[in-house]
Amino acid sequence: MNDDDHVARIEGILPHRWDLDALRSGAAVCATLAVPFRIVAAIVDSDSGGLNALFFVLFVAFFVVGAGCAAWVQRTGTPLSHALVTAIGTYAFVEIVFVAIRLVRGTQIPWFSIFFTLSVISAAGVIGGFLGSRLQAQGFVPSSRR
């Protein structure tokens, strides 16, 4: 059986474009692991560039993990799409909440920073999608499918 047959068989079992369980799983990982670093960075609001960089790197790294999770557990044959939607969707939701808080508090909204981070998170989604796809290709399956 070639790769096309395998994908066609998976698409036949799950005819929907999006595996909502995979998206939820990836978003839960992002929200649980990455978002706390975003919150801590906002609370600490350090003048230390090193500390801010550490929080940012951890934030992005856990987005790679969350996007990779979504890519790995999806069952529709579209790991990159699931990883990107997970990373971008979760980040957008988190930033909408932070923008709303800033609007209520009357503080300045750093639009450039938000869109720059969105591009970094998109790259993290691509990396996570590649890693999740590689896990599937190597035969590693989530425990829920054993």
Side-chain angles (χ1 to χ4, degrees), residues 117-130:
T117 305
L118 176 62
S119 67
V120 173
I121 293 300
S122 298
V126 170
I127 293 167
F130 175 75

Side-chain angles (χ1 to χ4, degrees), residues 37 62 84:
F37 289 103
F62 284 122
L84 281 169

